[in-house]
Amino acid sequence: MKSLYVKYVSMLSVACATSLLSPVVWAQSPTFDVSGQWALRYENITNPLFPTTDNRFTQHNQRLSSKLQIKTVMKWSQFEVVGELGDSRVYLDNDDPTLGRSQVNTLEPVQFNFSWLGSDHQGTGLSMQKLSVGRFILDFGSRRVISSGYFRNAMNTFDGVVSEWQWNDWNVHGVYLLPVTRLPGDAASIDANERGFDKSYSERAIYGFYGASADKTWQLQTYWFDEEDGPGLNTANREFLTVSAHYTLPNDTKWRADAEVILQSGTRHESTSPSDVTEIDHQAWLFHGAFGQMISETTSLQAIVDLISGDNNSSDGKNTNFDALYGVRRFDFGPTEVYRTMPRRNLVSLGLKMVSKFTKKDNLLIRYLNFSYQKTPVGGESEIGNQIEFRWRHQLLPKFRLEFGGAYMAKGDAFAQGDYPDDTVYGYTAFLLKF
């Protein structure tokens, strides 16, 4: 499929050359827009969430996370250039082994892409709206498959080509992406907030389509993920198709509901070891559903369920653990980072969620979830625990927002083990400044 990448780049080159020949282009002046934001968050936890006997873990951990983003957009006639610098750093961490590339990415160009702006035709038929090449931050659909990550301190980025099309009343994106690996990757460099140039690998690619109806009630995605070992890259040789269908009930009544089904089918190896050359089947699935209503003009209450396939047998020649790819999970299962929350695999999650915008400046989330395994680990227990979570956002100024949150996990038999079997208590305070 590398020929597809070459085809997209060739199309962009022809479009640019054609536009540059137009005298209208040279008569126009470029416009610039510079914006940014700075997020700072302090977190504290007592008793790690997951069972461990590793002496590198301590009963208490804290972390101060800083994420700065500065973005510049230049537009000139039918051309657009986007550049964005990201700086994600961590301080005060108690040498916790969970600190990794997802938290630290110092002084990195998280976006740098060049676009040709096509037709703005909104009628029937098919028309290209935009064709872009470079590095991107992307959020598609529910963000359970491809997302940049908001709560997490370091962002997912992708090198490649993105094309945007209008097809009748549907907005469609075609993508060929090389996921970017954040560098450096060793623990000492990450702990010291050292920087290295992130890179993508031609041996790892994801390509396909995302489509959304005009009102976004329907969102469809299909991607082929393909990876193999290469210089400096050990992989599980994953090759599988991911298909997603997501429906959201329009907000023109008091009822609130959405549902998503994601299916995966293909092959992979059991591990990333170069000596593992055995190909096994990969068949996995996910279901998310939420249903409720507005119980007042400013408050909604919903019942929520997440069913995600798992695997408890590594010797049967197949893998049924759902692969989260480049999705994020904070909005489904609670805070990531220091708290870490549940991974999107082998999970049954049932609960209630209340969201209240009780003033124009305040947004309150309260959520209860019961977690258990979809497939109980051999010799283990099924009940993970009961979690209560809250998050309160207050817009103190037009461009300055305060945020407070926390979670409490009453551990079930599956998690009340190891060095820290007691319940987990977690809290954070944060602010977001936009400029």
Side-chain angles (χ1 to χ4, degrees):
M1 289 298 294
K2 292 180 182 178
S3 61
L4 179 63
Y5 180 85
V6 174
K7 181 179 179 180
Y8 273 132
V9 173
S10 300
M11 289 171 60
L12 181 60
S13 300
V14 171
C16 293
T18 302
S19 298
L20 286 171
L21 292 175
S22 171
V24 177
V25 172
W26 299 102
Q28 298 180 3
S29 299
T31 61
F32 294 87
D33 179 72
V34 180
S35 61
Q37 62 181 39
W38 178 39
L40 190 69
R41 180 176 62 242
Y42 175 76
E43 303 169 79
N44 189 283
I45 192 171
T46 300
N47 295 317
L49 180 63
F50 294 90
T52 182
T53 56
D54 188 336
N55 59 15
R56 294 177 300 167
F57 285 86
T58 59
Q59 185 177 20
H60 303 279
N61 190 29
Q62 62 181 351
R63 189 176 294 164
L64 180 66
S65 301
S66 169
K67 178 162 66 174
L68 176 67
Q69 297 169 249
I70 300 175
K71 181 179 180 180
T72 300
V73 179
M74 187 275 285
K75 290 186 177 181
W76 178 41
S77 184
Q78 288 183 276
F79 302 100
E80 179 182 84
V81 179
V82 176
E84 183 171 354
L85 181 68
D87 185 68
S88 300
R89 306 182 188 221
V90 163
Y91 307 93
L92 305 180
D93 190 89
N94 296 344
D95 296 323
D96 191 289
T98 63
L99 180 64
R101 303 183 196 193
S102 294
Q103 290 78 44
V104 175
N105 197 21
T106 305
L107 284 176
E108 180 66 28
V110 293
Q111 287 203 93
F112 189 76
N113 54 76
F114 180 84
S115 301
W116 174 75
L117 306 178
S119 168
D120 59 358
H121 174 67
Q122 300 295 319
T124 60
L126 180 68
S127 63
M128 180 182 286
Q129 308 288 300
K130 190 175 184 180
L131 183 61
S132 309
V133 62
R135 178 169 291 184
F136 304 90
I137 293 173
L138 298 171
D139 291 284
F140 287 154
S142 66
R143 301 190 292 127
R144 294 186 178 94
V145 180
I146 292 180
S147 177
S148 59
Y150 299 157
F151 188 84
R152 194 177 63 193
N153 206 44
M155 295 170 285
N156 290 332
T157 58
F158 304 87
D159 293 336
V161 178
V162 177
S163 60
E164 299 180 28
W165 303 76
Q166 191 72 28
W167 179 56
N168 296 327
D169 61 346
W170 281 70
N171 181 256
V172 180
H173 289 69
V175 300
Y176 184 95
L177 304 171
L178 307 180
V180 174
T181 299
R182 292 179 288 272
L183 296 172
D186 63 285
S189 297
I190 291 172
D191 186 63
N193 290 310
E194 294 183 5
R195 76 165 314 278
F197 284 111
D198 297 351
K199 65 176 296 185
S200 59
Y201 297 87
S202 60
E203 293 85 2
R204 174 182 286 154
I206 182 169
Y207 42 88
F209 297 92
Y210 162 71
S213 60
D215 55 3
K216 291 193 175 180
T217 55
W218 280 102
Q219 298 179 88
L220 306 176
Q221 301 179 77
T222 178
Y223 307 107
W224 182 260
F225 184 76
D226 188 358
E227 68 176 4
E228 60 185 10
D229 292 354
L233 180 66
N234 294 329
T235 76
N237 293 79
R238 293 173 291 173
E239 295 184 26
F240 57 79
L241 180 70
T242 297
V243 178
S244 164
H246 185 203
Y247 176 77
T248 302
L249 192 69
N251 287 346
D252 53 5
T253 71
K254 67 177 182 179
W255 299 101
R256 297 290 183 267
D258 77 288
E260 182 169 25
V261 175
I262 306 178
L263 303 176
Q264 294 181 332
S265 180
T267 62
R268 58 167 294 156
H269 294 179
E270 191 69 43
S271 72
T272 60
S273 171
S275 62
D276 182 359
V277 295
T278 303
E279 186 177 275
I280 62 175
D281 289 335
H282 175 78
Q283 305 286 337
W285 52 267
L286 174 153
F287 171 78
H288 165 83
F291 181 79
Q293 67 176 41
M294 298 296 296
I295 58 176
S296 74
E297 290 185 357
T298 59
T299 302
S300 66
L301 180 65
Q302 289 182 297
I304 45 180
V305 56
D306 286 271
L307 308 175
I308 309 169
S309 67
D311 198 321
N312 60 1
N313 186 352
S314 60
S315 61
D316 61 357
K318 62 180 180 180
N319 179 278
T320 52
N321 265 327
F322 184 80
D323 194 311
L325 289 173
Y326 301 95
V328 294
R329 61 194 193 279
R330 192 268 181 268
F331 58 87
D332 278 334
F333 306 133
T336 51
E337 302 300 88
V338 171
Y339 187 70
R340 296 172 67 198
T341 201
M342 302 302 301
R344 190 174 275 122
R345 66 174 182 271
N346 195 19
L347 191 66
V348 175
S349 172
L350 306 171
L352 293 170
K353 178 178 71 173
M354 185 196 77
V355 177
S356 180
K357 300 178 181 179
F358 55 95
T359 76
K360 292 182 178 180
K361 295 184 177 181
D362 294 280
N363 184 307
L364 176 66
L365 162 73
I366 298 177
R367 176 165 50 192
Y368 160 76
L369 295 172
N370 170 265
F371 294 120
S372 59
Y373 286 114
Q374 192 267 330
K375 287 188 176 179
T376 304
V378 176
E381 301 289 341
S382 176
E383 184 65 21
I384 293 172
N386 294 278
Q387 174 184 288
I388 183 73
E389 171 204 357
F390 85 94
R391 185 216 64 213
W392 172 37
R393 291 173 174 170
H394 176 69
Q395 198 72 39
L396 187 64
L397 298 170
K399 294 188 177 182
F400 185 74
R401 187 183 73 195
L402 298 175
E403 183 170 331
F404 307 92
Y408 180 89
M409 173 70 89
K411 294 181 179 179
D413 292 340
F415 272 30
Q417 303 179 28
D419 291 344
Y420 309 105
D422 293 336
D423 296 347
T424 298
V425 181
Y426 164 85
Y428 74 89
T429 181
F431 72 73
L432 176 66
L433 174 66
K434 295 186 176 182
F435 52 88

